[in-house]
Amino acid sequence: MHKPGVHAHTGSGGGLRRSAAQETQELFDTSEAQIRYRAYSRLQAAAVAMGESLAIPEIVAIGGQSDGKSSLLEAFLGFRFNVREVEMGTRRPLIVQMVHDPTALEPRCRLQEEDSDEYGAPIVPETAVADAIQRRTEEHLRKAGGIAVSSKPIVMRAEYAYCPNLTIIDTPGFILKAKSGEADNTPDEIMSMVKAQASPPHRMILFLQQSSVEWASSLWLRVVQEVDPYFQRTVIVASKFDNRLKEFGERWEVDKYLSATGYLPPNVRPFFVALPKDRAIQSSAEWRRSMAEVDQAIFKHLRDGIKGGFDEERFASRIGFTNLKKFLEEELSRRYREAAPATLALLQERCDAVSAELMAAEIRLKAAEDVGALRRAAMKYADTVARQVAVLLQGSAEPDPMQHGLTTDEERAASRAPQWPGVSGGPVLPLHHDSKLFGGAAFERCLEEFHMAVNSMRFPTSMSNDRLRNIMYAYKGKHHSGGTAKAAEDIARQAAKEALGPLLDAACIRLAFILRRLYDIAADRAAATMGSKDNLHPYIAFHAGLRTAHQAFITRLEEQARSMLRTHLEAATSQFAMNMYAHVPDPGDPLDATVGSDDEGDEEPAGGAERRADDAEVLNERLKAVQLAPGAGGPGRFEDNTPSRRATKSRRMALQEAERKQAGGLAIGVGPSSDDVVAAAESLFRKIRCAVATQYAPATLKSTFLDPMTERLALEVSLDMFARSDADFGGMFSAAGAVAALASKRDLLSRRVEGLIKCKNEFQELAKCL
């Protein structure tokens, strides 16, 4: 039962019987809390200025639109400033850092610059703060594409003699429906934004709801439960309490409402607050005095206007802004004390981390200025990559073939030569064509594939009769004893150049592609074997230049190989080679090289393979005699230096006799048919093909590609990369103005380290008073 007079001098109830001046003095006298909040206030100010993220206890105000969040913020500040817009008062989160400064008899408010840690000039008078916030908000929303709300906060620092040391975050109010002209998802965007602001565990949630709304009908209480399920860091405030107070006539009605029994968890005790409604109040002193008068009027009505009064012992400490402010100060003070050890440890960690960043910046700046050190490191890395390429060409099982290797089909598709020109009847499938190979293994497989492709080429039997007659009549009369043989040579020469030339070019393209792929594999291996400092990972321009140097060297090798193969093809089709072919048996068409053949069951006659191998060896040895005179542009002298031991004397004589008969059939016969000429040309074509496939091309491709890659790669790349001036070389490691930018970053980190150390030392001393 209520006992009159019990609460006359207890808690806030008794205080409200004193004068308004006394209440105002009590409400905003923060001298007792000055030391308590000073440490965290200065810590937070330093953290925001330096862009640090520290888990400092803060208050985030959430609630429905027009539930009074911004007015409550003004009450804490002690002056009015908020953007006054009927439909949406706050459209961006507003972080207000309140700093109690007894010397600031007038509010000093400064807005933090957008995308900067710096604060602007103080805004005077305080009534201009609203316009500044509104302009900042509208400009940002316009730049963001005309959106209705934004999650990017506005930060305002307020220094005043009548405000506590608190940080309060005012958020956009929840809405059910977007207003005309706004996006339909505006309510959802506001909901997500507010949840993000309220989710950090170091923030207290100040949830406001108009007292005219029944607890059971609350629309936004569930949002609080999503971020704080057990209301462990939530303070619920029923705003505009004076409006609801008019509905009560008896004590039981008031007590039932104030207890909120059955609607809120037992551990939740809401506050009931009313603030002045007169927007005509301009001066800060009037605003503060009016708040004290409203609190006094609320208690007077509860005591005198309600029959039987109310249970002051239970509810007096939860009514009025004065008690809310006192509770928040005490709660924050408790949280400050509890967080002090962790905060100090976090400060030490940040000091160590930023110091390490500063040291790394110093090293990087010094390295950027020391071109000699950069050259040494770059040369070491380039040499490591070149050695890795050589290892990969020689054969290495360490790189994962599934990651770096390609099958024959994948290799064809990725290169600029997906097919072998002129090869028909199906794809050329070398041994292990379905295995993923790279490096030297892929090179050898490609050579085998090239050999099969060359052997699969057939003499073009579809040559037109007009072309044959043109060649035959051209030689008639010029060579009385061998005009027909000369015609056959010319036909074979042209057919070989047209058929084998594109194949040689395709081989160069495929092999160059295999070698180009080695750079990425070698670079990965080099990075794995070297430290992060030695592999020069941050210098993108250097790595791009090194890659370009590797690719350029391989391109030069490709051009050299193509030129040498063309030269060998000219040698293999020269007149001296044709004279030599007269003493070499026809190697025939290898059955095992036929692509897409359906005669899988055909068997070669006994001894055929051995004879072909012997004949090919004789042919290869004799081909060594064909040389081109330097600078002459044509065939030089013929010198038969073939060792006699390559075949027995009887074997050589038999071959020569057969060749004389074959040549005599064309030279002596009268009016040989075109079929005879084609047959002779086809035989010569096969001999040229054998010379190219077994002698010239494989040896040239290996000597032109593999030997330089293992012997000259490092030197050629070094000449491209390092034979340049210091300014040109340094350009790969720092863009124009990069050294100045590094120095600026170093200076910024130095200031951060200095500020953090100073802040840590101050906090360590001030925390002793918490």
Side-chain angles (χ1 to χ4, degrees):
M1 178 179 294
H2 172 65
K3 296 181 180 181
V6 172
H7 308 286
H9 301 284
T10 59
S12 298
L16 287 170
R17 294 186 178 182
R18 291 176 282 179
S19 67
Q22 291 174 322
E23 291 295 338
T24 303
Q25 178 65 26
E26 179 182 324
L27 182 60
F28 291 98
D29 183 6
T30 57
S31 58
E32 296 180 358
Q34 183 174 1
I35 297 178
R36 183 185 305 163
Y37 295 120
R38 181 184 173 194
Y40 273 99
S41 175
R42 297 186 65 173
L43 174 61
Q44 185 175 51
V48 173
M50 292 181 293
E52 297 291 338
S53 177
L54 299 177
I56 300 173
E58 300 166 330
I59 300 173
V60 55
I62 68 174
Q65 182 178 317
S66 302
D67 277 347
K69 300 184 306 301
S70 299
S71 296
L72 186 63
L73 181 60
E74 291 176 332
F76 280 109
L77 284 168
F79 66 92
R80 310 200 78 166
F81 78 97
N82 191 48
V83 177
R84 291 176 292 277
E85 217 173 67
V86 175
E87 294 178 338
M88 191 179 296
T90 305
R91 292 183 288 164
R92 293 174 64 182
L94 178 63
I95 301 178
V96 180
Q97 297 172 322
M98 304 179 198
V99 179
H100 174 70
D101 185 353
T103 65
L105 301 180
E106 295 295 331
R108 291 196 299 263
C109 299
R110 295 180 296 164
L111 296 180
Q112 185 176 342
E113 300 294 341
E114 300 277 17
D115 302 320
S116 173
D117 296 334
E118 301 296 330
Y119 286 84
I123 303 172
V124 291
E126 67 267 24
T127 54
V129 172
D131 296 331
I133 292 176
Q134 187 172 9
R135 285 194 303 269
R136 178 73 63 87
T137 299
E138 291 176 351
E139 181 180 359
H140 173 72
L141 296 180
R142 182 174 61 254
K143 290 181 178 179
I147 57 179
V149 294
S150 172
S151 60
K152 186 175 182 180
I154 297 176
V155 180
M156 184 180 78
R157 180 180 177 87
E159 301 169 351
Y160 196 27
Y162 298 97
C163 72
N165 291 283
L166 296 176
T167 293
I168 296 182
I169 304 172
D170 189 18
T171 61
F174 300 122
I175 58 176
L176 293 174
K177 184 179 180 181
K179 70 177 183 180
S180 178
E182 294 179 348
D184 294 338
N185 64 340
T186 299
D188 295 332
E189 289 185 358
I190 294 176
M191 182 74 69
S192 300
M193 179 199 314
V194 174
K195 285 182 179 179
Q197 294 292 332
S199 293
H202 64 272
R203 288 179 175 171
M204 292 177 59
I205 302 173
L206 191 63
F207 173 64
L208 276 75
Q209 177 177 281
Q210 293 190 42
S211 59
S212 58
V213 178
E214 299 295 340
W215 297 115
S217 304
S218 176
L219 295 174
W220 313 119
L221 195 59
R222 61 175 179 82
V223 179
V224 178
Q225 289 179 299
E226 291 180 12
V227 295
D228 185 21
Y230 302 105
F231 297 95
Q232 294 177 334
R233 54 188 179 91
T234 299
V235 178
I236 297 179
V237 177
S239 63
K240 305 179 182 180
F241 181 51
D242 51 339
N243 294 337
R244 185 62 183 266
L245 198 58
K246 301 173 184 177
E247 300 178 8
F248 303 131
E250 297 186 10
R251 173 172 176 159
W252 70 269
E253 294 176 315
V254 176
D255 291 348
K256 180 180 179 181
Y257 173 75
L258 296 176
S259 64
T261 304
Y263 303 108
L264 297 176
N267 63 310
V268 178
R269 298 178 60 197
F271 284 85
F272 304 89
V273 175
L275 296 173
K277 294 184 174 62
D278 188 1
R279 303 301 302 187
I281 298 175
Q282 294 296 327
S283 71
S284 299
E286 291 179 352
W287 169 245
R288 296 192 298 272
R289 185 169 56 253
S290 297
M291 283 191 292
E293 292 174 351
V294 168
D295 275 0
Q296 186 178 17
I298 292 293
F299 274 94
K300 181 175 177 58
H301 182 81
L302 285 171
R303 294 185 180 117
D304 302 336
I306 301 297
K307 185 178 180 181
F310 73 106
D311 192 343
E312 293 193 39
E313 185 177 354
R314 292 179 59 192
F315 304 120
S317 62
R318 317 295 291 185
I319 297 174
F321 174 74
T322 305
N323 287 324
L324 174 62
K325 174 178 173 293
K326 180 181 178 182
F327 172 81
L328 291 178
E329 287 178 345
E330 293 176 350
E331 179 65 17
L332 282 176
S333 179
R334 181 184 67 81
R335 290 175 179 264
Y336 285 156
R337 286 193 297 270
E338 293 177 353
T343 302
L344 189 58
L346 180 60
L347 276 173
Q348 183 63 54
E349 292 177 6
R350 291 302 301 147
C351 286
D352 295 341
V354 178
S355 297
E357 291 183 43
L358 176 60
M359 185 178 297
E362 290 278 7
I363 295 174
R364 186 171 181 181
L365 178 60
K366 184 178 180 181
E369 295 174 337
D370 188 354
V371 179
L374 286 175
R375 282 186 182 274
R376 291 190 294 272
M379 294 178 71
K380 179 180 178 181
Y381 179 79
D383 182 69
T384 301
V385 173
R387 285 190 283 106
Q388 291 295 338
V389 170
V391 170
L392 294 173
L393 287 174
Q394 294 169 2
S396 175
E398 183 176 344
D400 184 6
M402 297 304 296
Q403 179 182 357
H404 300 291
L406 294 177
T407 64
T408 297
D409 290 340
E410 293 171 343
E411 197 176 277
R412 289 171 181 166
S415 67
R416 292 183 290 117
Q419 299 296 334
W420 293 105
V423 177
S424 58
V428 179
L429 299 178
L431 191 64
H432 306 302
H433 62 88
D434 55 349
S435 298
K436 288 183 175 292
L437 303 181
F438 60 87
F443 193 95
E444 293 294 337
R445 183 179 64 183
C446 186
L447 283 181
E448 179 185 346
E449 185 181 351
F450 165 74
H451 187 272
M452 295 175 64
V454 171
N455 284 333
S456 68
M457 296 295 295
R458 298 293 181 264
F459 181 79
T461 56
S462 59
M463 185 176 296
S464 66
N465 292 329
D466 290 341
R467 185 175 182 182
L468 290 173
R469 292 190 181 97
N470 270 286
I471 296 175
M472 292 175 64
Y473 275 105
Y475 282 98
K476 184 179 181 181
K478 295 182 180 180
H479 305 276
H480 299 286
S481 61
T484 305
K486 297 297 182 182
E489 292 174 2
D490 195 16
I491 294 172
R493 180 181 296 110
Q494 295 301 320
K497 290 181 178 180
E498 293 175 2
L500 300 180
L503 277 176
L504 297 174
D505 292 342
C508 292
I509 293 174
R510 283 281 300 279
L511 294 174
F513 169 76
I514 292 172
L515 297 182
R516 287 190 180 96
R517 293 189 66 247
L518 292 180
Y519 176 81
D520 291 331
I521 307 175
D524 289 344
R525 286 172 56 86
T529 56
M530 304 176 69
S532 58
K533 178 181 177 181
D534 295 330
N535 64 27
L536 304 174
H537 176 71
Y539 302 109
I540 299 176
F542 165 74
H543 287 283
L546 186 61
R547 170 190 286 274
T548 301
H550 273 256
Q551 306 306 320
F553 177 64
I554 295 173
T555 299
R556 293 195 296 270
L557 295 183
E558 181 182 355
E559 293 299 328
Q560 292 174 9
R562 184 179 285 108
S563 176
M564 292 184 65
L565 288 174
R566 288 290 184 177
T567 300
H568 288 316
L569 183 59
E570 289 290 338
T573 57
S574 66
Q575 186 59 51
F576 293 100
M578 294 299 178
N579 295 337
M580 184 255 318
Y581 292 145
H583 306 285
V584 176
D586 186 348
D589 290 324
L591 295 177
D592 57 348
T594 302
V595 179
S597 176
D598 294 332
D599 302 329
E600 297 180 359
D602 296 343
E603 295 184 0
E604 189 175 3
E610 290 77 2
R611 284 196 301 273
R612 269 207 319 277
D614 189 22
D615 295 343
E617 189 171 5
V618 173
L619 174 62
N620 291 338
E621 290 298 331
R622 293 187 176 183
L623 281 174
K624 294 179 181 178
V626 182
Q627 300 176 355
L628 293 180
R637 62 186 179 84
F638 176 80
E639 179 184 359
D640 188 359
N641 59 359
T642 304
S644 60
R645 66 178 180 272
R646 295 302 181 186
T648 62
K649 180 176 181 181
S650 59
R651 174 64 175 162
R652 291 199 308 274
M653 294 180 63
L655 291 174
Q656 292 172 1
E657 181 64 23
E659 291 159 5
R660 281 195 298 271
K661 291 181 180 180
Q662 181 179 359
L666 291 175
I668 301 173
V670 179
S673 66
S674 60
D675 292 339
D676 296 331
V677 175
V678 170
E682 185 174 359
S683 176
L684 288 173
F685 174 84
R686 289 192 289 268
K687 296 177 182 180
I688 297 171
R689 183 188 64 190
C690 180
V692 172
T694 61
Q695 177 66 25
Y696 289 142
T700 300
L701 291 171
K702 288 185 177 181
S703 64
T704 309
F705 279 115
L706 293 183
D707 294 344
M709 287 293 291
T710 56
E711 298 172 1
R712 291 168 35 214
L713 175 63
L715 176 61
E716 296 286 343
V717 170
S718 296
L719 290 175
D720 284 349
M721 293 292 294
F722 308 118
R724 55 181 72 186
S725 64
D726 286 350
D728 189 15
F729 179 78
M732 292 188 295
F733 296 87
S734 61
V739 174
L742 288 173
S744 177
K745 182 178 180 181
R746 186 270 316 274
D747 294 341
L748 177 62
L749 287 171
S750 179
R751 291 193 297 271
R752 285 181 61 188
V753 170
E754 183 180 354
L756 278 171
I757 292 176
K758 180 180 179 181
C759 191
K760 183 201 72 172
N761 293 336
E762 289 184 355
F763 183 83
Q764 191 169 9
E765 292 299 322
L766 293 172
K768 298 176 182 179
C769 303
L770 292 177

